[in-house]
Amino acid sequence: MKAILKNLGIKGTEEGGGTGSAIRCHGRLLDVVSPINGKRIGRVRLADRKDFESVVQCAVDAFQSWKMMPAPKRGDITRQIGIALREKKEDLGALVSLEVGKIRAEGEGEIQEAIDMADFAVGQSRMLYGLSMHSERPIHRMYEQWHPLGPVGVITAFNFPAAVWSWNALIALVCGDTVIWKPSSKAPLTAIALMKIAQGVLQKNGLPEGILGWVVGDRHEVGEAFINDPRIPLISATGSVAMGRHISQAVSRRLGKTLLELGGNNAVIVTAKADMDLAVRAIVFGAVGTAGQRCTTTRRVIVHEDIYDELTQALMKAYRQIPIGDPLKPATLMGPLIDRKAVQNMQSALSRIKKQGGRILCGGEVLSGKRFSAGTYVTPCLCEAPPDAPIVSEETFAPILYLIRYKTLQEAIRYHNAVPQGLSSAIFTTDMREAELFLSQMGSDCGIANVNVGTSGAEIGGAFGGEKNTGGGRESGSDAWKIYMRRQTCTINWGIELPLAQGIRFEPV
Ligand code: UN1
């Protein structure tokens, strides 16, 4: 652990705010504890309201020069950030594991996602395209262009402490925005390590402070000021539906923009014509990966009655073989939950499911003993559930998978869409009619819909996000860049007449 922190320049106590370089903060000291063993990794001096103010003002000032740099040049800076991340991939991945308990492969995978994002953003920096239109007026030209938006606020959750920042920040950077990051206070060290790496690149290029800032602080001290600050035109936030609703109301009150990526309650439909082996592997990765703590985690499996028993047996067998333990050990496939509170939430969901007519088929135990003394380890749980059990509509951020039986595909799709969240979805079938129905407007109502691919582990090239209570935002690939810019429609008259649109004449007769 010491070597990892040293390689990343993380000291015993870090400042919880910075404008590139750290600033001296004045809030309380926060202990950062590893879910692996409950031991302290480091400490962070939280930012208070005044520290927050300095970070924001610096981002506002830096925006004035950063927006003037040509976008492809900003892309070049992003390219250098990508190279710097490549050099530290292993250490950063290990820090993700230490701080949030992801297994090694997933910790490093997360940094790879940030590297991929940097590459994507470099290309995007030359593709901030606007359209041109044919004007209805003679000797006129019309087109639209995209300008930098301003300082962008990025609020991230503990479960993707690096990648979600990169989806937002690296695109916002090439768009000409400065970024203020409020990482989860459960994962501030990964954020600070990333900020140090990025700041190294900015400094080497002689760029001013404030282009990439961060602030770790309590909600009442910093969080509220952050979302209510009119100098921050866009707040991009990942987290719970309750948090998203609160942010959305605060930001809309000041007519700002939000990009929300909130809860998921993702289902896989397995039809009688599925490739069973493929389905089982995808479901296990989707439900057990990241210990069930992805917003794209598979939480429901809706199974055709003819193959229900076969699939259930196969899943139970796979679940019993999952190696659980220290996520830094190469053989481990499931690490701890983020903290004891998450374990309690899981336990209370399991007792509710029993009351609501569900049946636990396997797992759901809290592990004890020396290796598990942090109290954060559980076994992944498979439950049979009636489709209308209220708990099935909730996102419990833990490895609980509900199995639901169906007769017709229409019925399966009805169950599928009956929850308030709409992030990710999948169907496993080898029948193209079933697949196409699922992808049609009669099918999945989610932002992501896959065929023979699980619900989690999306690539960065597509737009990521979902509908309904998931919040409607789209991040990372496709045209997600547009929200980080402001659109301007321009009309130029290069003639000597002043024709009006809609044929209006406005002159004395
Ligand atoms: C999240 O859990 O907030 O598709 C994001 C996935 C990852 C991102 C998940 N690429 O599972």
Side-chain angles (χ1 to χ4, degrees):
M1 176 173 110
K2 280 207 178 107
I4 297 163
L5 297 177
K6 187 161 171 269
N7 293 346
L8 294 170
I10 299 288
K11 302 185 290 281
T13 302
E14 285 286 344
E15 299 293 344
T19 53
S21 320
I23 60 164
R24 177 116 189 74
C25 286
H26 301 86
R28 70 182 169 92
L29 271 178
L30 172 82
D31 281 336
V32 184
V33 169
S34 175
I36 300 175
N37 51 17
K39 297 214 171 98
R40 191 167 80 196
I41 314 172
R43 289 196 303 188
V44 173
R45 165 84 58 200
L46 296 185
D48 69 4
R49 187 65 70 94
K50 271 208 181 129
D51 304 326
F52 165 77
E53 177 55 35
S54 329
V55 172
V56 177
Q57 196 48 52
C58 195
V60 169
D61 296 342
F63 176 61
Q64 296 311 321
S65 56
W66 182 246
K67 71 177 180 188
M68 296 312 295
M69 183 186 266
K73 291 244 154 60
R74 298 193 293 252
D76 180 47
I77 304 295
T78 312
R79 186 180 58 79
Q80 296 176 44
I81 293 176
I83 293 170
L85 292 175
R86 276 182 173 86
E87 283 160 9
K88 298 276 182 195
K89 178 177 164 183
E90 239 176 81
D91 287 321
L92 282 169
L95 180 55
V96 170
S97 297
L98 270 177
E99 208 172 23
V100 303
K102 283 192 188 194
I103 60 167
R104 207 57 203 244
E106 290 189 273
E108 285 187 16
E110 171 150 9
I111 305 307
Q112 185 58 46
E113 194 161 338
I115 293 167
D116 294 342
M117 240 3 259
D119 289 353
F120 183 90
V122 181
Q124 190 73 73
S125 72
R126 290 182 187 266
M127 296 188 291
L128 303 172
Y129 299 136
L131 296 171
S132 71
M133 302 88 187
H134 285 252
S135 169
E136 66 185 66
R137 288 166 280 183
I139 323 290
H140 277 54
R141 184 165 72 82
M142 247 177 111
Y143 79 111
E144 67 182 16
Q145 56 179 346
W146 296 84
H147 286 312
L149 183 68
V152 168
V154 178
I155 298 174
T156 59
F158 77 84
N159 66 333
F160 275 82
V164 175
W165 167 79
S166 76
W167 295 352
N168 287 278
L170 299 179
I171 296 287
L173 271 191
V174 300
C175 290
D177 302 333
T178 54
V179 180
I180 306 154
W181 182 12
K182 183 176 180 301
S184 162
S185 50
K186 292 176 187 167
L189 296 180
T190 302
I192 291 170
L194 282 169
M195 290 292 93
K196 286 184 195 244
I197 290 168
Q199 179 57 13
V201 171
L202 296 174
Q203 236 161 22
K204 210 166 67 200
N205 286 274
L207 291 162
E209 293 271 313
I211 294 170
L212 288 176
W214 81 94
V215 64
V216 191
D218 288 326
R219 182 176 153 187
H220 60 274
E221 190 71 40
V222 165
E224 290 302 314
F226 197 52
I227 60 179
N228 285 299
D229 196 318
R231 292 169 296 178
I232 307 176
L234 169 68
I235 298 279
S236 168
T238 301
S240 68
V241 173
M243 180 208 78
R245 201 167 268 134
H246 176 71
I247 291 178
S248 170
Q249 282 165 356
V251 178
S252 342
R253 219 175 293 126
R254 62 178 173 90
L255 301 181
K257 295 208 273 183
T258 51
L259 191 175
L260 300 175
E261 202 253 288
L262 312 174
N265 189 351
N266 318 293
V268 170
I269 295 178
V270 186
T271 81
K273 293 179 191 136
D275 176 329
M276 191 62 91
D277 177 52
L278 221 58
V280 171
R281 281 158 53 199
I283 293 166
V284 173
F285 173 67
V288 176
T290 328
Q293 299 171 111
R294 288 191 191 213
C295 54
T296 50
T297 289
T298 307
R299 308 208 176 276
R300 299 175 292 143
V301 177
I302 304 165
V303 196
H304 191 273
E305 57 180 3
D306 290 353
I307 53 156
Y308 185 90
D309 291 338
E310 188 190 345
L311 183 75
T312 307
Q313 292 306 320
L315 285 175
M316 278 167 68
K317 185 165 169 230
Y319 263 52
R320 292 199 174 113
Q321 287 167 1
I322 300 287
I324 302 167
D326 182 345
L328 288 164
K329 297 230 164 89
T332 304
L333 288 184
M334 187 175 133
L337 297 191
I338 186 68
D339 51 25
R340 283 177 187 232
K341 183 147 181 283
V343 174
Q344 277 162 20
N345 286 346
M346 179 174 176
Q347 294 310 297
S348 88
L350 293 178
S351 71
R352 280 168 63 208
I353 184 75
K354 282 185 236 159
K355 285 187 201 126
Q356 293 176 10
R359 191 163 69 92
I360 293 175
L361 299 177
C362 70
E365 297 100 6
V366 181
L367 293 170
S368 55
K370 195 158 173 282
R371 277 169 61 212
F372 306 120
S373 60
T376 47
Y377 293 84
V378 294
T379 54
C381 182
L382 270 181
C383 290
E384 260 177 341
D388 55 352
I391 190 124
V392 173
S393 290
E394 285 175 31
E395 179 192 42
T396 304
F397 223 54
I400 304 175
L401 184 64
Y402 302 117
L403 293 169
I404 296 160
R405 203 186 291 256
Y406 81 86
K407 281 192 172 65
T408 65
L409 190 51
Q410 281 73 13
E411 181 193 4
I413 291 171
R414 201 170 64 243
Y415 293 155
H416 179 278
N417 292 346
V419 298
Q421 310 84 350
L423 180 55
S424 184
S425 61
I427 190 168
F428 279 77
T429 180
T430 53
D431 180 325
M432 61 93 81
R433 289 184 180 149
E434 289 182 335
E436 291 291 340
L437 174 65
F438 181 74
L439 297 176
S440 77
Q441 61 272 50
M442 288 189 291
S444 163
D445 62 0
C446 291
I448 297 170
N450 297 332
V451 176
N452 297 331
V453 171
T455 59
S456 70
E459 298 177 24
I460 55 114
F464 182 92
E467 301 300 325
K468 304 194 289 185
N469 280 2
T470 302
R474 292 296 187 277
E475 295 172 296
S476 80
S478 185
D479 64 352
W481 62 272
K482 288 181 174 170
I483 198 159
Y484 304 94
M485 302 200 86
R486 62 182 170 87
R487 186 197 309 238
Q488 189 169 64
T489 303
C490 308
T491 310
I492 300 127
N493 175 2
W494 54 283
I496 53 169
E497 304 289 337
L498 192 72
L500 300 177
Q502 295 88 42
I504 290 172
R505 295 183 67 89
F506 194 76
E507 55 205 39
V509 278

